Amino acid sequence: MLLEYIIKKMTRKKVGNVKFSRNMPEIPNGKDEIGLYIHIPFCKVPCPFCAYIRYPWNPKLERPYVGAVKKEIDLYLERLGDVRINSIYVGGGTPTIMPRGVADILKHTEETFDVSSDIGVESNPDDLNEKTLELLLDAGVSKLSMGVQSFSDEILKAIGRRSHDAKQSLHAIELVMDNGGFDTFSIDLMFSLPTQTLAGLKKDLEITIEKGVPQVATYPLLLFPYCKMYRDEKEGKLRLPGEKAEKQMYDTIVDSFTEADYEPCSVWSFVKKGRDKYGSVERDEYIGIGAGAISSVNQYFYANTASIEEYIRTVGQGDLPITIGAEFQPEGVAAKWLSISLYEMEFDKREFKKRFGMDVDEKFKSFLRWLKLFGIIKVEGDHVRVTRKGMYPIHLMTKTFLLTFIAKACIACMENPKPIVTKEPSRASAILNRY
Ligand SMILES: C[S@@+](CC[C@H](N)C(=O)[O-])C[C@H]1O[C@@H](n2cnc3c(N)ncnc32)[C@H](O)[C@@H]1O
Ligand code: SF4
């Protein structure tokens, strides 16, 4: 209990004082390589728990949105120069709601940049059919992830997930696995959900393992202050399992996958031994394209406007649609790298030295000593690995980080729909009304 208290307090203190500003970040010219994250902020039926920037789907928006994304990619080409794209990840929202639009964006990206990477796409079970899989594979998609959340219809109902039922998820898993065209296939499960029991979670894990799904991401329910489910919880409308049950659930997840020959590739995801890992973006450096997309480059962390109208209008006039950002001190950049490494459960001290020109043991002396003392990490030479015992504390650290820093970034982004460069008057309504 003490350890858990310290972890949460320490994480809150470290990231709680990061300030978001309306200063334009410096877009780096001359980088050798960078990742691309492309955001598709539409869903058939938005879920009340979801923390991401997303809006109810309107097919009329597809053409102007795809056009704006392609234009933003061109704007970055002008600024980034001759850079190699080392990862492409299309997330949302629900990219598979518009598979043709996604294929069009990917084709444009490959025509614009030197791309040498796998392409990952997020999907919803109800969108997947032979035709959509074919479109994605033809567009070069090699990694597919799909949000299942739970195989229980009761739980799907309790979390307000109305776009599909458990049967559709099972069907979609079979479809993707029979197709066999993707190098990696991962599903998302959630835990610590309203009305969920340990027995219910075990059933979800058994089905996942029995189906032989190659990779699984397991997310604890995160209640962000701007989501409907957060308000429901505050009003006492939800029956949540609570912290003690969440720890039991987490331990059950780790033990079940370990026994079934999966290995952790982060504290929240597990891959079948011998299979490729599915990662969202290439480590810590990526450019976010699309409304509400987040970027992380050099010392900058910044977000695009969450407003679809402002997004389309701003890129249409040739400006980047950035609305808020934070600039880290060198120590903050190094701390960010270390946190991601701990989340991914391992790192090499030499890599830290190469990137930051100093020894990790010197820079984070007391923190690393403390992690070792509590048995959270094990150090062998230059290799540092999170232990089995350390997984739950790192899970808590990640959860607190998301609920503090990312929540703050999303709120700032939503509160500032006007991009930094805004020039009046807005032509957004006129643009949208044409489609
Ligand atoms: C961007 S969403 C996934 C894409 C797709 N629209 C879907 O729902 O299947 C990525 C994953 O984040 C997880 N997620 C979303 N909101 C969450 C929250 N508040 N707490 C925990 N996990 C969440 C869900 O597991 C979801 O599948
Ligand atoms: S969880 Fe997926 S489907 Fe639900 S609102 Fe979020 S992005 Fe959309």
Side-chain angles (χ1 to χ4, degrees):
M1 280 311 258
L2 177 67
L3 176 63
E4 288 153 21
Y5 173 80
I6 299 173
I7 290 265
K8 284 198 240 172
K9 198 167 158 101
M10 197 177 64
T11 314
R12 267 189 221 120
K13 192 169 161 228
K14 279 274 172 231
V15 294
N17 53 12
V18 176
K19 297 255 179 309
F20 290 96
S21 76
R22 301 259 298 151
N23 297 333
M24 200 66 174
E26 283 162 30
I27 309 298
N29 190 308
K31 260 195 151 13
D32 290 341
E33 53 178 28
I34 196 142
L36 267 196
Y37 169 76
I38 300 168
H39 192 67
I40 310 294
F42 306 113
C43 296
K44 203 182 281 172
V45 198
C47 311
F49 57 83
C50 181
Y52 296 86
I53 305 285
R54 79 287 189 263
Y55 304 95
W57 174 228
N58 172 358
K60 286 188 184 153
L61 283 174
E62 178 167 348
R63 267 182 65 192
Y65 190 75
V66 170
V69 166
K70 285 159 62 175
K71 174 80 187 181
E72 193 188 359
I73 289 169
D74 296 343
L75 294 175
Y76 268 108
L77 179 71
E78 289 165 21
R79 286 155 175 90
L80 290 170
D82 211 5
V83 69
R84 195 167 57 81
I85 302 299
N86 61 11
S87 79
I88 299 182
Y89 185 81
V90 190
T94 310
T96 45
I97 211 160
M98 39 175 261
R100 281 191 180 75
V102 168
D104 190 6
I105 291 168
L106 290 173
K107 183 164 167 268
H108 185 75
T109 309
E110 287 178 303
E111 285 166 359
T112 310
F113 283 108
D114 170 11
V115 177
S116 63
S117 81
D118 290 340
I119 302 174
V121 170
E122 284 177 353
S123 69
N124 268 39
D126 47 304
D127 287 331
L128 295 186
N129 52 46
E130 296 286 3
K131 185 75 210 151
T132 299
L133 295 188
E134 195 185 309
L135 275 165
L136 296 176
L137 286 165
D138 285 352
V141 176
S142 51
K143 305 172 172 190
L144 187 72
S145 103
M146 184 176 89
V148 169
Q149 322 315 348
S150 169
F151 290 104
S152 151
D153 283 339
E154 284 74 43
I155 292 287
L156 293 179
K157 201 166 159 215
I159 61 171
R161 176 99 171 163
R162 293 192 287 127
S163 54
H164 64 91
D165 59 17
K167 206 166 142 206
Q168 279 169 296
S169 300
L170 289 168
H171 176 71
I173 289 174
E174 276 162 25
L175 194 73
V176 176
M177 292 187 53
D178 287 350
N179 175 291
F182 299 95
D183 294 344
T184 333
F185 172 51
S186 173
I187 66 166
D188 298 336
L189 292 178
M190 289 172 73
F191 67 101
S192 202
L193 297 171
T195 75
Q196 192 176 38
T197 59
L198 189 59
L201 173 73
K202 279 184 181 163
K203 189 102 195 92
D204 283 345
L205 302 175
E206 271 164 33
I207 296 174
T208 307
I209 290 165
E210 193 259 316
K211 288 278 163 205
V213 179
Q215 191 168 327
V216 190
T218 55
Y219 299 109
L221 175 65
L222 300 166
L223 291 176
F224 285 78
Y226 51 87
C227 296
K228 182 179 178 303
M229 203 176 262
Y230 176 92
R231 295 190 293 276
D232 288 349
E233 202 270 332
K234 289 282 163 249
E235 290 165 17
K237 291 184 190 159
L238 295 186
R239 192 157 52 83
L240 290 173
E243 277 199 13
K244 202 169 150 220
E246 180 170 315
K247 179 164 188 327
Q248 264 185 328
M249 287 184 181
Y250 183 74
D251 285 336
T252 304
I253 289 170
V254 178
D255 294 342
S256 305
F257 284 121
T258 310
E259 278 161 29
D261 233 15
Y262 285 73
E263 56 191 350
C265 38
S266 75
V267 288
W268 286 349
S269 56
F270 304 84
V271 64
K272 268 195 154 187
K273 280 191 183 148
R275 298 289 302 248
D276 283 351
K277 283 190 205 174
Y278 182 106
S280 52
V281 274
E282 187 77 11
R283 301 255 19 185
D284 52 344
E285 297 250 284
Y286 51 89
I287 296 284
I289 306 278
I294 282 173
S295 305
S296 176
V297 193
N298 293 345
Q299 73 272 38
Y300 297 101
F301 177 95
Y302 59 88
N304 280 353
T305 173
S307 154
I308 307 283
E309 287 207 342
E310 290 293 344
Y311 174 72
I312 294 174
R313 182 182 66 77
T314 310
V315 295
Q317 70 190 20
D319 289 311
L320 289 179
I322 297 166
T323 179
I324 52 116
E327 185 176 351
F328 293 99
Q329 295 305 310
E331 174 161 347
V333 181
K336 189 180 78 172
W337 187 90
L338 185 62
S339 323
I340 297 173
S341 301
L342 289 171
Y343 168 73
E344 290 180 344
M345 295 196 47
E346 62 184 337
F347 68 91
D348 193 302
K349 290 183 186 178
R350 287 166 299 185
E351 177 65 22
F352 186 93
K353 177 131 195 182
K354 199 167 109 200
R355 280 173 179 256
F356 303 107
M358 53 190 149
D359 284 326
V360 69
D361 287 319
E362 258 172 55
K363 194 74 212 156
F364 295 102
K365 194 172 172 184
S366 51
F367 179 57
L368 290 177
R369 202 184 274 166
W370 185 85
L371 291 179
K372 257 201 292 191
L373 186 75
F374 279 97
I376 294 171
I377 54 169
K378 191 162 184 232
V379 183
E380 275 168 7
D382 287 319
H383 187 247
V384 180
R385 185 159 179 85
V386 173
T387 61
R388 168 65 186 86
K389 183 180 165 208
M391 287 178 81
Y392 186 70
I394 301 297
H395 148 89
L396 278 184
M397 193 183 89
T398 310
K399 196 177 152 177
T400 314
F401 169 78
L402 293 171
L403 288 172
T404 332
F405 181 71
I406 299 294
K408 208 163 139 184
C410 288
I411 292 168
C413 168
M414 286 187 259
E415 281 175 351
N416 290 283
K418 292 263 182 232
I420 297 167
V421 293
T422 301
K423 293 179 195 117
E424 298 295 348
S426 165
R427 292 188 306 112
S429 306
I431 296 167
L432 293 176
N433 289 341
R434 256 192 274 142
Y435 295 91

mmCIF file of all heavy atoms in Angstrom, residues 49-52 92-94 122-124 147 149 161 188 190 219-222, ligand 1:
data_model
loop_
_atom_site.group_PDB
_atom_site.id
_atom_site.type_symbol
_atom_site.label_atom_id
_atom_site.label_comp_id
_atom_site.label_asym_id
_atom_site.label_seq_id
_atom_site.Cartn_x
_atom_site.Cartn_y
_atom_site.Cartn_z
ATOM 1 N N PHE A 49 -16.832 5.791 -22.116
ATOM 2 C CA PHE A 49 -15.607 5.726 -21.313
ATOM 3 C C PHE A 49 -14.409 6.280 -22.077
ATOM 4 O O PHE A 49 -13.348 6.493 -21.505
ATOM 5 C CB PHE A 49 -15.297 4.262 -20.932
ATOM 6 C CG PHE A 49 -15.157 3.351 -22.123
ATOM 7 C CD1 PHE A 49 -13.959 3.268 -22.809
ATOM 8 C CD2 PHE A 49 -16.227 2.586 -22.565
ATOM 9 C CE1 PHE A 49 -13.826 2.453 -23.916
ATOM 10 C CE2 PHE A 49 -16.112 1.762 -23.673
ATOM 11 C CZ PHE A 49 -14.903 1.691 -24.352
ATOM 12 N N CYS A 50 -14.570 6.484 -23.385
ATOM 13 C CA CYS A 50 -13.393 6.684 -24.235
ATOM 14 C C CYS A 50 -12.723 8.033 -24.041
ATOM 15 O O CYS A 50 -13.371 9.076 -24.014
ATOM 16 C CB CYS A 50 -13.770 6.507 -25.689
ATOM 17 S SG CYS A 50 -12.352 6.704 -26.779
ATOM 18 N N ALA A 51 -11.396 7.972 -23.925
ATOM 19 C CA ALA A 51 -10.609 9.148 -23.604
ATOM 20 C C ALA A 51 -10.085 9.856 -24.845
ATOM 21 O O ALA A 51 -9.463 10.911 -24.752
ATOM 22 C CB ALA A 51 -9.434 8.705 -22.754
ATOM 23 N N TYR A 52 -10.304 9.280 -26.017
ATOM 24 C CA TYR A 52 -9.688 9.831 -27.223
ATOM 25 C C TYR A 52 -10.576 10.891 -27.865
ATOM 26 O O TYR A 52 -11.769 10.933 -27.649
ATOM 27 C CB TYR A 52 -9.414 8.699 -28.226
ATOM 28 C CG TYR A 52 -8.421 7.711 -27.692
ATOM 29 C CD1 TYR A 52 -8.838 6.646 -26.901
ATOM 30 C CD2 TYR A 52 -7.062 7.863 -27.943
ATOM 31 C CE1 TYR A 52 -7.925 5.749 -26.375
ATOM 32 C CE2 TYR A 52 -6.138 6.974 -27.422
ATOM 33 C CZ TYR A 52 -6.577 5.916 -26.642
ATOM 34 O OH TYR A 52 -5.676 5.044 -26.113
ATOM 35 N N GLY A 92 -7.412 6.016 -33.752
ATOM 36 C CA GLY A 92 -8.609 6.842 -33.680
ATOM 37 C C GLY A 92 -9.137 6.969 -32.271
ATOM 38 O O GLY A 92 -8.396 6.821 -31.314
ATOM 39 N N GLY A 93 -10.440 7.177 -32.231
ATOM 40 C CA GLY A 93 -11.413 6.965 -33.268
ATOM 41 C C GLY A 93 -11.333 5.563 -33.909
ATOM 42 O O GLY A 93 -10.718 4.659 -33.387
ATOM 43 N N THR A 94 -11.972 5.487 -35.029
ATOM 44 C CA THR A 94 -12.060 4.200 -35.715
ATOM 45 C C THR A 94 -11.654 4.331 -37.176
ATOM 46 O O THR A 94 -12.500 4.663 -38.024
ATOM 47 C CB THR A 94 -13.503 3.654 -35.620
ATOM 48 O OG1 THR A 94 -13.929 3.711 -34.265
ATOM 49 C CG2 THR A 94 -13.590 2.238 -36.120
ATOM 50 N N GLU A 122 -5.783 0.678 -36.401
ATOM 51 C CA GLU A 122 -6.752 0.244 -35.383
ATOM 52 C C GLU A 122 -8.099 -0.026 -36.039
ATOM 53 O O GLU A 122 -8.472 0.659 -36.994
ATOM 54 C CB GLU A 122 -6.953 1.357 -34.345
ATOM 55 C CG GLU A 122 -5.809 1.468 -33.383
ATOM 56 C CD GLU A 122 -5.996 2.624 -32.392
ATOM 57 O OE1 GLU A 122 -6.948 3.413 -32.528
ATOM 58 O OE2 GLU A 122 -5.155 2.726 -31.486
ATOM 59 N N SER A 123 -8.828 -0.976 -35.489
ATOM 60 C CA SER A 123 -10.124 -1.308 -36.091
ATOM 61 C C SER A 123 -11.168 -1.640 -35.029
ATOM 62 O O SER A 123 -10.834 -1.929 -33.884
ATOM 63 C CB SER A 123 -9.957 -2.507 -37.018
ATOM 64 O OG SER A 123 -9.684 -3.671 -36.259
ATOM 65 N N ASN A 124 -12.430 -1.619 -35.452
ATOM 66 C CA ASN A 124 -13.540 -2.091 -34.614
ATOM 67 C C ASN A 124 -14.076 -3.389 -35.217
ATOM 68 O O ASN A 124 -14.148 -3.502 -36.440
ATOM 69 C CB ASN A 124 -14.668 -1.058 -34.603
ATOM 70 C CG ASN A 124 -14.538 -0.093 -33.453
ATOM 71 O OD1 ASN A 124 -13.426 0.310 -33.125
ATOM 72 N ND2 ASN A 124 -15.644 0.291 -32.859
ATOM 73 N N GLY A 147 -10.391 -3.511 -31.193
ATOM 74 C CA GLY A 147 -10.909 -3.308 -29.832
ATOM 75 C C GLY A 147 -12.039 -4.270 -29.522
ATOM 76 O O GLY A 147 -13.120 -4.168 -30.093
ATOM 77 N N GLN A 149 -12.533 -5.311 -25.988
ATOM 78 C CA GLN A 149 -12.849 -4.852 -24.602
ATOM 79 C C GLN A 149 -13.263 -6.016 -23.702
ATOM 80 O O GLN A 149 -12.697 -6.226 -22.650
ATOM 81 C CB GLN A 149 -13.887 -3.728 -24.571
ATOM 82 C CG GLN A 149 -13.812 -2.675 -25.685
ATOM 83 C CD GLN A 149 -12.440 -2.134 -26.003
ATOM 84 O OE1 GLN A 149 -11.488 -2.359 -25.274
ATOM 85 N NE2 GLN A 149 -12.295 -1.442 -27.112
ATOM 86 N N ARG A 161 -20.738 0.110 -24.638
ATOM 87 C CA ARG A 161 -20.113 -0.196 -25.937
ATOM 88 C C ARG A 161 -21.207 -0.759 -26.840
ATOM 89 O O ARG A 161 -21.567 -1.940 -26.739
ATOM 90 C CB ARG A 161 -19.001 -1.219 -25.705
ATOM 91 C CG ARG A 161 -18.323 -1.720 -26.949
ATOM 92 C CD ARG A 161 -17.039 -1.006 -27.192
ATOM 93 N NE ARG A 161 -16.275 -1.621 -28.253
ATOM 94 C CZ ARG A 161 -15.288 -1.014 -28.870
ATOM 95 N NH1 ARG A 161 -14.931 0.187 -28.525
ATOM 96 N NH2 ARG A 161 -14.625 -1.610 -29.823
ATOM 97 N N ASP A 188 -7.568 -5.543 -28.163
ATOM 98 C CA ASP A 188 -7.594 -4.781 -26.903
ATOM 99 C C ASP A 188 -8.660 -5.375 -25.993
ATOM 100 O O ASP A 188 -9.803 -5.575 -26.424
ATOM 101 C CB ASP A 188 -8.017 -3.320 -27.138
ATOM 102 C CG ASP A 188 -7.067 -2.556 -28.033
ATOM 103 O OD1 ASP A 188 -5.895 -2.935 -28.125
ATOM 104 O OD2 ASP A 188 -7.523 -1.556 -28.643
ATOM 105 N N MET A 190 -10.273 -4.693 -21.945
ATOM 106 C CA MET A 190 -10.240 -3.759 -20.809
ATOM 107 C C MET A 190 -10.564 -4.511 -19.526
ATOM 108 O O MET A 190 -11.226 -5.543 -19.567
ATOM 109 C CB MET A 190 -11.242 -2.629 -21.027
ATOM 110 C CG MET A 190 -10.810 -1.669 -22.137
ATOM 111 S SD MET A 190 -12.091 -0.475 -22.560
ATOM 112 C CE MET A 190 -12.046 0.597 -21.131
ATOM 113 N N TYR A 219 -6.085 -2.976 -20.991
ATOM 114 C CA TYR A 219 -6.100 -1.642 -20.397
ATOM 115 C C TYR A 219 -6.995 -1.588 -19.175
ATOM 116 O O TYR A 219 -8.170 -1.981 -19.261
ATOM 117 C CB TYR A 219 -6.621 -0.603 -21.401
ATOM 118 C CG TYR A 219 -5.784 -0.488 -22.658
ATOM 119 C CD1 TYR A 219 -6.253 -0.946 -23.883
ATOM 120 C CD2 TYR A 219 -4.514 0.071 -22.605
ATOM 121 C CE1 TYR A 219 -5.484 -0.840 -25.030
ATOM 122 C CE2 TYR A 219 -3.742 0.183 -23.743
ATOM 123 C CZ TYR A 219 -4.229 -0.278 -24.954
ATOM 124 O OH TYR A 219 -3.462 -0.171 -26.087
ATOM 125 N N PRO A 220 -6.488 -1.058 -18.063
ATOM 126 C CA PRO A 220 -7.386 -0.817 -16.927
ATOM 127 C C PRO A 220 -8.302 0.349 -17.301
ATOM 128 O O PRO A 220 -7.878 1.246 -18.044
ATOM 129 C CB PRO A 220 -6.417 -0.374 -15.822
ATOM 130 C CG PRO A 220 -5.276 0.258 -16.558
ATOM 131 C CD PRO A 220 -5.138 -0.495 -17.848
ATOM 132 N N LEU A 221 -9.517 0.340 -16.828
ATOM 133 C CA LEU A 221 -10.413 1.461 -17.135
ATOM 134 C C LEU A 221 -9.816 2.748 -16.559
ATOM 135 O O LEU A 221 -9.498 2.824 -15.368
ATOM 136 C CB LEU A 221 -11.801 1.221 -16.517
ATOM 137 C CG LEU A 221 -12.779 2.386 -16.671
ATOM 138 C CD1 LEU A 221 -13.137 2.624 -18.139
ATOM 139 C CD2 LEU A 221 -14.043 2.140 -15.864
ATOM 140 N N LEU A 222 -9.661 3.743 -17.426
ATOM 141 C CA LEU A 222 -9.128 5.040 -16.994
ATOM 142 C C LEU A 222 -10.261 6.043 -17.092
ATOM 143 O O LEU A 222 -10.837 6.217 -18.173
ATOM 144 C CB LEU A 222 -7.984 5.473 -17.919
ATOM 145 C CG LEU A 222 -6.782 4.528 -17.985
ATOM 146 C CD1 LEU A 222 -5.892 4.877 -19.165
ATOM 147 C CD2 LEU A 222 -5.987 4.604 -16.693
HETATM 148 C C1 LIG B 1 -8.506 4.365 -29.833
HETATM 149 S S1 LIG B 1 -9.203 3.010 -29.100
HETATM 150 C C2 LIG B 1 -9.482 1.753 -30.323
HETATM 151 C C3 LIG B 1 -9.899 1.744 -31.555
HETATM 152 C C4 LIG B 1 -11.287 1.267 -31.815
HETATM 153 N N1 LIG B 1 -12.114 2.415 -31.995
HETATM 154 C C5 LIG B 1 -11.943 0.419 -30.755
HETATM 155 O O1 LIG B 1 -12.561 0.948 -29.877
HETATM 156 O O2 LIG B 1 -11.877 -0.792 -30.907
HETATM 157 C C6 LIG B 1 -7.890 2.054 -28.420
HETATM 158 C C7 LIG B 1 -8.238 1.306 -27.188
HETATM 159 O O3 LIG B 1 -8.137 2.141 -26.090
HETATM 160 C C8 LIG B 1 -8.833 1.557 -25.023
HETATM 161 N N2 LIG B 1 -9.504 2.630 -24.298
HETATM 162 C C9 LIG B 1 -10.246 3.659 -24.759
HETATM 163 N N3 LIG B 1 -10.669 4.436 -23.770
HETATM 164 C C10 LIG B 1 -10.193 3.898 -22.615
HETATM 165 C C11 LIG B 1 -10.300 4.231 -21.235
HETATM 166 N N4 LIG B 1 -10.987 5.283 -20.836
HETATM 167 N N5 LIG B 1 -9.668 3.446 -20.347
HETATM 168 C C12 LIG B 1 -8.960 2.371 -20.759
HETATM 169 N N6 LIG B 1 -8.834 2.001 -22.030
HETATM 170 C C13 LIG B 1 -9.443 2.753 -22.955
HETATM 171 C C14 LIG B 1 -9.802 0.539 -25.610
HETATM 172 O O4 LIG B 1 -9.381 -0.751 -25.260
HETATM 173 C C15 LIG B 1 -9.648 0.739 -27.092
HETATM 174 O O5 LIG B 1 -9.806 -0.434 -27.821
#
